[in-house]
Amino acid sequence: MQGNISSAAKELFMHRNTLQYKVDKFQEQTKTNLKKMDDLFLCYLLILTFNK
């Protein structure tokens, strides 16, 4: 998906505005910025860790 919100939304079967809203809400609540590689990598590791 490489950061393309439209293709990500299509893969998730949701409207791109809905996905953008959810990403914005997540970033606001977690004080992260998913455009920064460090924050993005941290979220990726947390998902891997707690998705088991």
Side-chain angles (χ1 to χ4, degrees), residues 1-12 14-24:
M1 288 179 256
Q2 300 177 357
N4 187 332
I5 195 120
S6 294
S7 63
K10 189 177 284 189
E11 291 285 324
L12 295 168
M14 68 172 62
H15 193 274
R16 67 174 305 283
N17 290 344
T18 303
L19 180 57
Q20 185 65 58
Y21 171 79
K22 289 177 182 273
V23 168
D24 291 344

Side-chain angles (χ1 to χ4, degrees), residues 3 9-10 12 15 20 26-27 30 34-35 50:
K10 189 177 284 189
L12 295 168
H15 193 274
Q20 185 65 58
F26 173 81
Q27 289 181 127
T30 61
L34 298 179
K35 292 181 181 179
F50 292 104

